[in-house]
Amino acid sequence: MNLLILESTCDETAAAVVNDEFQVLGAAVASQDELHRQFQGVVPEIAARAHVERILPIIDLTLSRAGITLQQIDAVAVANTPGLAGSLVVGLVAAKTLCLTLGVPLIAINHVHAHLYACQLEAAKPVFPAVGLVVSGGHTTLFDCQSSAEFNVLGGTIDDAAGEAFDKVASMLGLPYPGGPVISRLARSGNRRAHSFPRSFAKEPRRLQFSFSGLKTAVRYALVGPGKPDFSQVKLSEQQLADLAASFEEAVVECLVAKARHALAHTGHRRLCVGGGVAANTRLRELLHEAAVADDFELHIAPPTLCTDNAIMGAIAIERWRAGKLESLDLDIVPGLMR
Ligand code: KG4
Ligand code: ZN
């Protein structure tokens, strides 16, 4: 059984062919970073239009990498939730069209669940049940994952997502989009204790929520002080920039690790799965490993290549296919996160 998987929830157009043994036969990702860089964040309309231009070439490239033709596809899976409405529609329409013309079934993917399933693809044994932490540009959410088919939201951010905070702080510091990788690189030569930035809710074990807006404001005040809106003229030395990046990164990462520990204590799970673009962050991975040793839990972090958006993690659809969970061609997009 060959499954064609499509991913177009945000600003990556991606496809993969995975068989029912979970072997990846071919995959491709077209990033839109360069289109959104001048706006320092994703512009939904630009993202949707770029998906329209790229989805067919990406499918062709994926099939040629897999060495198969469309006629050898047995089912099509697509991420239809959550994401940007215009972006989701492009993937869903492409998937439905293929299902209709090829006469093959359609399978729905929850993109956020797929980020966690990336942990399973790397592991030699089942990773669920577990606490799941998704840290991406659009989501920062804790799940109680009973199985690969049952993900219940425990809590999430009340304002920005962790990746969004990286991107917005990078913008304040005059650094390019996406901000996560560049802040992480600068942070390596910075002092993590140079600024004492807030760690919202980190000392409230019963509160399974995140907030990064106060942290963003604190970085802004460190740049210009309160009441002064214009930070575009601020000139920082290399060391000042590195110290800000390191102190900011440490604050985000400490909050994520603290809340993951709280969620483990709250649910009684002894296993943690972490996925999403921010899970590629080296410092986060380091502190999670330290926490796993200190608290004696089993840690699964998505492999770095499967942290940012890709279609391979959509192999969670194989589980749905095995369970007979197929969709009609009436399937719609659901832009918001389902609880
Ligand atoms: O999962 P993803 O590709 O897209 C969403 O589903 O949102 O995540 C993209 C986010 C961006 O905000 C980017 O800045 C962040 O992941 N990111 C990182 C790193 N690599 C990507 N954040 C921190 N450290 C990184 N190394
Ligand atoms: Zn994502």
Side-chain angles (χ1 to χ4, degrees):
M1 187 276 203
N2 291 328
L3 176 68
L4 174 65
I5 304 166
L6 304 182
E7 155 61 43
S8 70
T9 57
C10 187
D11 63 338
E12 263 88 29
T13 320
V17 177
V18 179
N19 70 18
D20 52 350
E21 301 292 309
F22 291 94
Q23 286 170 314
V24 180
L25 305 185
V29 181
S31 159
Q32 299 178 11
D33 286 352
E34 79 285 0
L35 298 181
H36 301 287
R37 193 156 287 143
Q38 62 173 306
F39 306 103
Q40 290 160 329
V42 178
V43 182
E45 190 57 34
I46 292 175
R49 286 167 193 234
H51 285 305
V52 172
E53 287 167 6
R54 293 163 184 217
I55 191 102
L56 295 181
I58 279 294
I59 293 172
D60 281 344
L61 179 60
T62 301
L63 291 172
S64 83
R65 285 183 176 166
I68 62 168
T69 63
L70 269 182
Q71 281 62 39
Q72 291 167 282
I73 293 296
D74 301 296
V76 180
V78 62
N80 71 319
T81 187
L84 301 172
S87 295
L88 289 166
V89 163
V90 179
L92 183 60
V93 169
K96 285 183 180 180
T97 308
L98 286 168
C99 289
L100 191 66
T101 52
L102 299 172
V104 298
L106 176 66
I107 306 170
I109 296 169
N110 179 311
H111 173 79
V112 174
H113 298 173
H115 268 306
L116 291 176
Y117 198 75
C119 297
Q120 182 62 77
L121 293 173
E122 180 82 338
K125 57 179 187 142
V127 301
F128 304 115
V131 164
L133 171 64
V134 177
V135 274
S136 71
H139 298 95
T140 299
T141 312
L142 284 161
F143 290 90
D144 183 342
C145 312
Q146 292 295 337
S147 69
S148 57
E150 199 186 340
F151 298 77
N152 299 310
V153 175
L154 290 167
T157 181
I158 59 167
D159 40 57
D160 290 342
E164 189 181 358
F166 270 98
D167 297 337
K168 287 178 175 168
V169 164
S171 164
M172 275 191 242
L173 299 177
L175 302 168
Y177 172 84
V182 61
I183 287 187
S184 171
R185 203 162 47 245
L186 281 169
R188 274 183 226 145
S189 45
N191 174 2
R192 297 181 196 120
R193 305 278 160 219
H195 301 269
S196 58
F197 289 141
R199 275 97 168 126
S200 300
F201 314 147
K203 295 209 169 99
E204 297 175 58
R206 280 198 292 262
R207 189 165 187 169
L208 297 181
Q209 287 180 320
F210 304 88
S211 168
F212 297 110
S213 66
L215 171 59
K216 254 183 353 193
T217 307
V219 174
R220 192 179 169 290
Y221 286 173
L223 277 173
V224 288
K228 297 195 187 120
D230 187 12
F231 43 78
S232 59
Q233 306 303 322
V234 177
K235 293 268 174 290
L236 296 173
S237 70
E238 264 179 45
Q239 194 55 51
Q240 284 173 320
L241 192 58
D243 287 349
L244 275 168
S247 302
F248 164 76
E249 179 182 65
E250 195 70 0
V252 174
V253 163
E254 282 187 10
C255 289
L256 297 175
V257 175
K259 287 296 145 190
R261 284 175 131 155
H262 294 161
L264 285 162
H266 175 83
T267 57
H269 285 306
R270 305 298 314 146
R271 226 187 255 141
L272 176 68
C273 293
V274 188
V278 181
N281 183 278
T282 316
R283 182 66 181 151
L284 174 61
R285 297 174 88 93
E286 198 173 281
L287 289 192
L288 284 169
H289 280 291
E290 283 176 18
V293 172
D295 291 2
D296 189 28
F297 62 84
E298 195 181 305
L299 176 64
H300 298 275
I301 312 179
T305 50
L306 297 185
C307 283
T308 46
D309 287 349
N310 64 88
I312 295 172
M313 66 190 190
I316 190 172
I318 305 262
E319 306 264 2
R320 287 180 75 83
W321 177 76
R322 284 181 177 167
K325 291 184 180 162
L326 307 177
E327 308 297 329
S328 82
L329 293 184
D330 289 336
L331 181 70
D332 207 348
I333 59 161
V334 183
L337 180 66
M338 286 185 283
R339 295 188 75 83

